[in-house]
Amino acid sequence: MAAVFSVFLTSLFVTVPCVIRLLYCLLWVPWRLQRRFRLQGIKGPPRRLLSGNAAEFRAMLEGAQSSPPLASFHHAGVLSRVVPHYHEWSARHGRPFVYWFGPRARLVVSDHDVVATVMTDSTEAFDKSGFGGGNPLARQLFGQGLPGLSGDKWARHRRVVAPAFNMERVKAWIPEIAAITSSMLDTWEVQGESRHTEFEVDVYQGFHTLSAYVISHVAFGSSYEEGNRIFELQQEQGKLVALAMRTVYIPGFRFVPTNKNRRRQSLNLELQNLLRKLIEINGRKCEDAKNLLGLMLSASKALSKFKMDIEEIIEECKVFYFGGKETTAHLLTWATLLLASNREWQDKARDEVHRVCGKFEHPNAENLSNLKIVDMVLKETLRLYPPVVAVNRTATRDIKLGKLDIPAGTQLEFPIIDIHRDTGVWGADADEFNPWRFADGHRRYHLGAYLPFGMGPSVCVGKNLSMVEAKVALAMILQRFTFVVSPSYVHAPILMMNTRPQYGAQILACKI
């Protein structure tokens, strides 16, 4: 009897603190935060005890993806399809508003002054929330690379990786980018049987292949064929990550042998093995070339505080294989569709390319900066269809931001795609395609109101490569083809990892 009583007491001593801690996290903390927000007039959708608003969030996204396409190539309805939770909750509860993922508060703020203050903060009052937040299943794609790191480890990786993408190094890659683009356009020409014959091409697929070739070659010294399986694995991984990001994570769930978890583990293992093999094959060549992989390998041998081990290099390879392909491919896809539906701007951009580069010469490092209209088109594309729809930061302590009183632990969520459409900043035509916004001499946008690649210390390290690659490719397309939106194109943008066309991006092209 004494032994039974002893076991009971032991169980009680173990269980009671756990229950108290659980009640504290699930009830007391959210209630206290909710009360603090309400005192400031900040509202949001009703919160469920365990899941918060995750179920409603997920249902909204699924509903948007199954909703009818937009009636025309118009941009005003993009928010309701891509980020329906921002669109509906801000209309219901105003801005800013708060919603919950489990017991964690997400305060959605669109004020560009607040955005600029937080994103450029150097006092460590805000920490990168990390890709996927606290969900390890969402971090599997590249959560241990730069997007998912913070603090000293982030600074160390950034110090090693950033030199690979400085503008001078990227400019040296322009001939290779142009050659790869020219090869793609040659295949387009084959589809047109003769001059002035229209043919349909799905640029969404074409640009993904193009950017995959480029990132494989210039950053890793490998061929597209060597990296093709990596891209395939990451595409499947991306779908699983997108699913995990819409779900509240239960601690320990990743170890439960469900079909999806087993597939996640299998994908990750094969991906790591492929990257390890690629590093072994191309390592020496890359070190001599001083590209991204070479710089990381040099750091792995350095006897300094910036030393990177092979596992860290593999994680960064994941980031740049996926991010280097996806960002540029989506930028080129939307830019081409926008020019296809705005013939006046297509003609302006083509006239500029012919004037600056001629009709047959590839763009080069000397004349690329003179393509002002092409640059304006790409920037306006990034405003309307940014590669990342939102960015997060977590308050490390209680802090005041203007009129906002932010409790420690609150995740601040900045909806980039919504901020880019703020009529107070961009004017009444904020939903329209108008590259003049970015012309020299025109009014400048506010700091914090335009951040397609982020801003501040953590601005996207691959920004230079993405913009140069897109500029070269778009200029070469304009040199050789005119194009319009195909009747088979359906304007139905959706959110997966990026904003993408749900049913491809078909244009009708004609050789000049």
Side-chain angles (χ1 to χ4, degrees), residues 321-390:
Y321 259 109
F322 186 83
K325 177 174 73 75
E326 294 289 306
T327 299
T328 311
H330 287 103
L331 170 55
L332 278 168
T333 296
W334 292 116
T336 302
L337 285 171
L338 286 165
L339 287 182
S341 61
N342 291 270
R343 293 298 300 275
E344 179 186 354
W345 277 104
Q346 185 184 148
D347 292 340
K348 288 178 190 292
R350 181 178 295 104
D351 290 345
E352 177 187 67
V353 172
H354 285 165
R355 186 177 68 254
V356 172
C357 305
K359 293 187 177 181
F360 306 105
E361 294 297 320
H362 293 169
N364 56 51
E366 286 67 43
N367 60 28
L368 198 67
S369 60
N370 293 324
L371 296 176
K372 305 292 186 184
I373 293 176
V374 174
D375 188 63
M376 289 157 50
V377 166
L378 290 172
K379 287 179 177 176
E380 177 70 344
T381 301
L382 288 168
R383 186 185 70 83
L384 287 170
Y385 298 91
V388 177
V389 299

Side-chain angles (χ1 to χ4, degrees), residues 174-397:
I174 289 177
E176 296 166 72
I177 295 170
I180 293 169
T181 304
S182 183
S183 179
M184 178 191 75
L185 298 182
D186 288 343
T187 64
W188 288 19
E189 287 196 358
V190 171
Q191 296 179 57
E193 294 178 0
S194 62
R195 191 177 175 86
H196 303 308
T197 299
E198 280 189 337
F199 60 93
E200 185 176 86
V201 58
D202 185 346
V203 294
Y204 179 74
Q205 297 299 330
F207 289 145
H208 271 76
T209 302
L210 170 71
S211 56
Y213 267 103
V214 170
I215 196 68
S216 295
H217 190 65
V218 304
F220 299 101
S222 64
S223 66
Y224 171 76
E225 288 73 23
E226 283 181 293
N228 189 38
R229 180 58 180 163
I230 294 171
F231 296 126
E232 290 176 356
L233 293 171
Q234 288 192 320
Q235 282 297 112
E236 187 177 351
Q237 221 175 24
K239 294 175 183 177
L240 291 171
V241 166
L243 181 64
M245 290 176 71
R246 301 171 187 181
T247 308
V248 175
Y249 180 71
I250 300 170
F253 179 74
R254 60 180 158 157
F255 302 112
V256 178
T258 64
N259 289 337
K260 285 189 175 67
N261 281 350
R262 283 198 295 266
R263 185 57 184 155
R264 286 184 175 103
Q265 291 168 4
S266 173
L267 288 169
N268 201 44
L269 182 61
E270 185 178 353
L271 187 59
Q272 287 181 310
N273 289 337
L274 282 172
L275 287 169
R276 196 182 301 275
K277 183 178 179 181
L278 182 140
I279 290 167
E280 290 172 358
I281 293 171
N282 296 297
R284 173 58 63 185
K285 180 175 63 175
C286 287
E287 282 190 72
D288 295 337
K290 296 296 181 185
N291 58 17
L292 172 62
L293 180 55
L295 290 172
M296 292 193 294
L297 287 170
S298 295
S300 72
K301 299 174 182 178
L303 298 175
S304 73
K305 62 181 180 179
F306 302 113
K307 182 178 176 67
M308 292 177 70
D309 61 38
I310 192 65
E311 298 304 322
E312 290 176 307
I313 292 174
I314 288 173
E315 292 300 322
E316 291 300 348
C317 286
K318 290 181 187 179
V319 170
F320 289 98
Y321 259 109
F322 186 83
K325 177 174 73 75
E326 294 289 306
T327 299
T328 311
H330 287 103
L331 170 55
L332 278 168
T333 296
W334 292 116
T336 302
L337 285 171
L338 286 165
L339 287 182
S341 61
N342 291 270
R343 293 298 300 275
E344 179 186 354
W345 277 104
Q346 185 184 148
D347 292 340
K348 288 178 190 292
R350 181 178 295 104
D351 290 345
E352 177 187 67
V353 172
H354 285 165
R355 186 177 68 254
V356 172
C357 305
K359 293 187 177 181
F360 306 105
E361 294 297 320
H362 293 169
N364 56 51
E366 286 67 43
N367 60 28
L368 198 67
S369 60
N370 293 324
L371 296 176
K372 305 292 186 184
I373 293 176
V374 174
D375 188 63
M376 289 157 50
V377 166
L378 290 172
K379 287 179 177 176
E380 177 70 344
T381 301
L382 288 168
R383 186 185 70 83
L384 287 170
Y385 298 91
V388 177
V389 299
V391 64
N392 301 319
R393 291 293 183 269
T394 300
T396 59
R397 59 176 182 264

Side-chain angles (χ1 to χ4, degrees), residues 136-202:
L137 296 178
R139 292 169 60 83
Q140 207 171 44
L141 185 59
F142 44 61
Q144 297 304 314
L146 274 174
L149 299 178
S150 60
D152 292 340
K153 191 172 184 180
W154 171 85
R156 177 165 56 84
H157 281 226
R158 179 93 181 188
R159 176 72 176 265
V160 172
V161 169
F165 297 104
N166 68 51
M167 187 54 82
E168 289 308 307
R169 196 178 299 274
V170 170
K171 283 182 178 179
W173 293 333
I174 289 177
E176 296 166 72
I177 295 170
I180 293 169
T181 304
S182 183
S183 179
M184 178 191 75
L185 298 182
D186 288 343
T187 64
W188 288 19
E189 287 196 358
V190 171
Q191 296 179 57
E193 294 178 0
S194 62
R195 191 177 175 86
H196 303 308
T197 299
E198 280 189 337
F199 60 93
E200 185 176 86
V201 58
D202 185 346

Side-chain angles (χ1 to χ4, degrees), residues 426-437:
W426 302 102
D429 66 342
D431 282 319
E432 297 176 17
F433 177 70
N434 179 13
W436 282 127
R437 300 178 212 279

Side-chain angles (χ1 to χ4, degrees), residues 4 25 35 43 45 82 103 129 145-146 203 245 385 469 482 495:
V4 172
C25 293
R35 182 175 181 274
K43 301 174 183 178
V82 176
S129 299
L146 274 174
V203 294
M245 290 176 71
Y385 298 91
E469 182 185 340
T482 61
L495 177 64

